């Protein structure tokens, strides 16, 4: 086979999480849950996006600890470093080279229009750096560096993925067919968005911490946060329309509680007899049962720095092998092989 013709039949998976804080329920259900399932079925590359974190978190005092935490929490959720390549972005230098090439194919106008860029620029007007503008280019480089087709991400990443697709297509058009088109992947038809407990948006690593459930939260904190979730006095009549903030807490229950319980509370809602105090207590207990074992495993691993380093080394070796192969093909295709 011609060495420049890639094998698009093999489905490769790639995704990343930034080490910018504690992982939460949104990261788990939007991303990690899929990673864990996919590692048995596909060739998977999962990455701690430390370079991306520098676009908004230039202070690196806590970076190492945050990288370790993300690694420990992903492993605690079931990611297996022997099955997937689980690595740190900065350990694969080819990422920076591909990012540079892709920057020549990305236009100012399309980058400036990105919703996440506009949001972050508004939140941090004193640090609108070029890295922030080209964030989707770096993300595209991460994905296509392994010639991935499937990208398990949450709904918040849809636009970035569309851009990664655009850059891959543009590269192929200009230099030859090197990259498959990457697409968002979710086992369910719809991409998941885990809402915050106060109905102001989504759960997040750094914003709105009181309304976000973290995988490191202790039992008491989990129960307290859920108790404070936005509810009301209950429906005034039978078969009322469910307000969005009540839909949100039902959505959380669907993530961690048994189906019979969800049905019972839905029936109570439709009968107009639901008691949100009981609902929250039940949800709190189920959430504790879900989060506590993950928290415990992550804590144990965080105390074992040697093992964390070993996990990163195993991952970097696999990712570098794939990256080197892709970049050889890229340089050949571009004529950068003199
Ligand atoms: P980030 O926290 O921005 O580094 O995102 C890491 C992964 O978690 C990405 O795949 C996101 O799509 C996903 N994610 C983050 N927050 C949420 C949320 N509230 N609901 C669903 N997915 C999320």
């Amino acid at each position: 086979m011609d060495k420049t013709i890639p094998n698009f039949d093999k489905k490769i998976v790639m995704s990343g999480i930034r080490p910018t804080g504690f992982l939460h329920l949104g990261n788990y259900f939007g991303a990690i849950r899929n990673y864990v399932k996919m590692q048995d079925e596909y060739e998977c590359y999962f990455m701690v996006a430390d370079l991306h974190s520098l676009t908004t978190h230039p202070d690196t005092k806590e970076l190492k600890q945050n990288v370790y935490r993300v690694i420990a929490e992903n492993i605690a959720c079931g990611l297996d470093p022997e099955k997937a390549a689980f690595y740190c972005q900065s350990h694969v230098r080819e990422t920076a080279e591909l990012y540079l090439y892709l920057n020549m194919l990305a236009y100012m106008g399309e980058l400036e229009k990105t919703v996440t860029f506009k949001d972050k620029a508004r939140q941090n007007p004193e640090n609108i750096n070029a890295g922030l503008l080209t964030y989707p280019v770096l993300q595209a480089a991460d994905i296509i560096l392994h010639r991935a087709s499937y990208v398990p991400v949450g709904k918040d990443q849809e636009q970035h993925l569309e851009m990664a697709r655009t850059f891959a297509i543009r590269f192929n058009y200009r230099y030859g067919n090197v990259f498959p088109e990457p697409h968002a992947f979710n086992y369910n038809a719809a991409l998941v968005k885990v809402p915050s407990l106060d109905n102001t948006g989504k759960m997040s690593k750094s914003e709105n911490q009181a309304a976000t459930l973290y995988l490191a939260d202790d039992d008491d904190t989990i129960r307290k946060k859920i108790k404070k979730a936005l509810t009301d006095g209950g429906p005034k009549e039978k078969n009322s329309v469910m307000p969005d903030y009540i839909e949100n807490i039902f959505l959380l229950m669907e993530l961690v509680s048994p189906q019979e319980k969800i049905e019972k509370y839905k029936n109570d809602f439709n009968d107009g007899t639901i008691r949100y105090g009981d609902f929250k207590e039940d949800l709190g207990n189920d959430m504790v049962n879900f989060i506590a074992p993950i928290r415990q495993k992550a804590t144990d691993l965080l105390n074992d720095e040697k093992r964390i380093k070993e996990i990163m080394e195993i991952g970097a070796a696999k990712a570098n092998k794939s990256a080197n192969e892709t970049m050889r093909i890229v340089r050949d295709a571009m004529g950068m092989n003199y």
Side-chain angles (χ1 to χ4, degrees), residues 15-20 22-32 35 49 120 135 139 152-158 191-196 201-205:
S15 194
I17 297 193
R18 288 171 308 144
T20 48
F22 292 80
L23 296 190
H24 53 79
L25 223 54
N27 294 132
Y28 181 85
F29 287 102
I32 305 170
Y35 299 178
K120 284 176 183 165
Y135 188 109
Q139 192 171 6
V153 283
K155 190 160 178 54
D156 56 332
Q157 292 293 318
E158 243 173 349
L191 295 183
V192 177
K193 176 184 149 189
V194 179
S196 62
K202 58 171 189 164
M203 288 197 182
S204 142
K205 288 210 204 85

Side-chain angles (χ1 to χ4, degrees), residues 13 15-18 21-40 44 46-48 69-80 84 86 151-154 185-187 192 194 205 214-215 290 294:
V13 175
S15 194
I17 297 193
R18 288 171 308 144
F22 292 80
L23 296 190
H24 53 79
L25 223 54
N27 294 132
Y28 181 85
F29 287 102
I32 305 170
R33 177 176 59 166
N34 284 334
Y35 299 178
V36 172
K37 259 175 122 176
M38 292 182 101
Q39 67 186 355
D40 287 317
C44 291
F46 298 126
M47 171 196 83
V48 180
R69 170 165 290 283
V70 170
I71 298 216
E73 289 184 337
N74 272 276
I75 301 285
C77 290
L79 205 92
D80 182 345
F86 185 35
V151 189
V153 283
F185 182 92
N186 193 298
Y187 279 99
V192 177
V194 179
K205 288 210 204 85
Y214 294 95
L215 301 179
F290 177 77
I294 296 178

Side-chain angles (χ1 to χ4, degrees), residues 171-277:
F171 184 99
N172 287 349
Y173 181 72
R174 185 169 289 267
Y175 298 115
N177 210 18
V178 172
F179 298 113
E181 286 179 29
H183 287 273
F185 182 92
N186 193 298
Y187 279 99
N188 310 312
L191 295 183
V192 177
K193 176 184 149 189
V194 179
S196 62
L197 292 163
D198 59 358
N199 199 38
T200 60
K202 58 171 189 164
M203 288 197 182
S204 142
K205 288 210 204 85
S206 39
E207 298 146 38
N208 217 357
Q209 296 183 356
T212 293
L213 292 165
Y214 294 95
L215 301 179
D217 279 344
D218 61 46
D219 296 355
D220 205 34
T221 307
I222 297 168
R223 289 198 175 93
K224 277 193 185 132
K225 283 181 177 175
I226 289 179
K227 220 174 244 171
K228 286 199 188 130
L230 184 65
T231 47
D232 53 26
K236 301 269 177 290
E237 53 198 51
K238 282 188 174 195
N239 298 317
S240 299
V241 176
M242 195 182 275
D244 55 357
Y245 49 91
I246 301 297
E247 260 178 27
N248 284 349
I249 53 169
F250 266 103
L251 194 153
L252 292 178
M253 188 174 250
E254 303 228 352
L255 299 176
V256 295
S257 298
Q259 202 52 40
E260 319 82 80
K261 197 179 278 182
I262 301 160
E263 289 308 320
K264 175 202 160 332
Y265 281 112
K266 281 207 170 135
N267 291 336
D268 288 355
F269 180 89
N270 288 333
D271 292 342
T273 56
I274 191 163
R275 291 163 54 120
Y276 289 127

Side-chain angles (χ1 to χ4, degrees), residues 57-72:
H57 294 64
D59 184 349
T60 51
K61 266 201 307 292
E62 290 171 7
L63 184 57
K64 180 174 167 184
Q65 209 40 47
N66 283 340
V67 168
Y68 284 14
R69 170 165 290 283
V70 170
I71 298 216

